[in-house]
Amino acid sequence: MTTGDADIKIRILSAAKKLFAENGFDKTTVRQICEEAGANVALVSYHFGGKENMFYALFDYYFPNNQIAELDPMQLDPVEGVRLIVREVTNFRYSDYQLINIIQQEVIMNTDRIEKIRKHVMPMWGKLRYWLKEGREQGLFQFNSLDNTLFSIIGTLLFHRNSQYWAILHEEERSSKEAIVEDLTLFILGGLYYRGE
């Protein structure tokens, strides 16, 4: 692939991500994506083999799953594992809100495309489950249901705080990403009854 081919491919993916986030997959046409990217419609077939494959390519290109997916969960103690998940999910949420919107739309609509999303996302949540279970067995965490605890943490991390919908409830200045990571970490570890540092 030439540099020009790579450049146009990235422009198409960037346009698709923007439009899918704004309008959803079904309401976005290949023509709209190509207009946004300044590309010929035929290039979608050439580079991706169609709109659906282009959607999947978004996750292959933009989703930062290697850092956590390749990590052996036994390399970290449970507390550090939970801290890692909080930090990385929050960093991702604030660095790529478009892909987050796409994921949330697909999950809410329960589309067939969520299977591809699961391949990228579930390794991370599986490691969180492992660290929660290990933390409970080591006496670091206290909770009754592993499932309820896992889904409560996932909900806390994925909840979209910065949408206009919630603006009426904000009384404080918007926090920095680092402050949000710290607050979420304290909140989650507190909910796990972790009594360490």
Side-chain angles (χ1 to χ4, degrees), residues 62-75:
Y62 290 107
F63 194 82
N65 61 339
N66 290 342
Q67 191 171 15
I68 295 176
E70 295 174 0
L71 179 70
D72 178 354
M74 292 186 291
Q75 291 177 331

Side-chain angles (χ1 to χ4, degrees), residues 63 65 69 114-124:
F63 194 82
N65 61 339
I114 60 174
E115 286 306 313
K116 177 67 174 182
I117 295 170
R118 279 188 180 123
K119 290 178 185 174
H120 289 278
V121 175
M122 287 305 156
M124 176 183 59

Side-chain angles (χ1 to χ4, degrees), residues 74-128:
M74 292 186 291
Q75 291 177 331
L76 293 178
D77 70 71
V79 175
E80 285 309 306
V82 170
R83 288 181 188 276
L84 174 69
I85 295 290
V86 172
R87 184 177 63 248
E88 294 305 315
V89 170
T90 304
N91 284 336
F92 177 57
R93 282 192 59 78
Y94 281 83
S95 67
D96 198 340
Y97 69 92
Q98 291 173 334
L99 200 57
I100 292 291
N101 284 349
I102 292 167
I103 292 169
Q104 290 177 337
Q105 288 172 25
E106 296 294 316
V107 170
I108 289 169
M109 299 299 292
N110 195 30
T111 70
D112 293 337
R113 293 177 295 277
I114 60 174
E115 286 306 313
K116 177 67 174 182
I117 295 170
R118 279 188 180 123
K119 290 178 185 174
H120 289 278
V121 175
M122 287 305 156
M124 176 183 59
W125 298 132
K127 285 178 177 55
L128 177 58

Side-chain angles (χ1 to χ4, degrees), residues 176-196:
S176 69
K177 182 173 57 174
E178 293 76 22
I180 291 169
V181 168
E182 182 63 25
D183 283 345
L184 287 172
T185 302
L186 289 172
F187 180 77
I188 289 169
L189 290 176
L192 294 171
Y193 294 97
Y194 174 64
R195 300 295 178 230

Side-chain angles (χ1 to χ4, degrees), residues 114-162:
I114 60 174
E115 286 306 313
K116 177 67 174 182
I117 295 170
R118 279 188 180 123
K119 290 178 185 174
H120 289 278
V121 175
M122 287 305 156
M124 176 183 59
W125 298 132
K127 285 178 177 55
L128 177 58
R129 173 183 278 281
Y130 172 85
W131 287 317
L132 291 172
K133 185 176 180 183
E134 284 296 305
R136 181 169 62 179
E137 289 173 4
Q138 294 174 24
L140 297 169
F141 305 148
Q142 295 177 35
F143 53 84
N144 294 323
S145 166
L146 179 57
D147 282 349
N148 290 341
T149 302
L150 175 67
F151 295 127
S152 295
I153 293 172
I154 291 171
T156 297
L157 293 176
L158 296 184
F159 184 75
H160 189 55
R161 293 159 191 77
N162 291 330

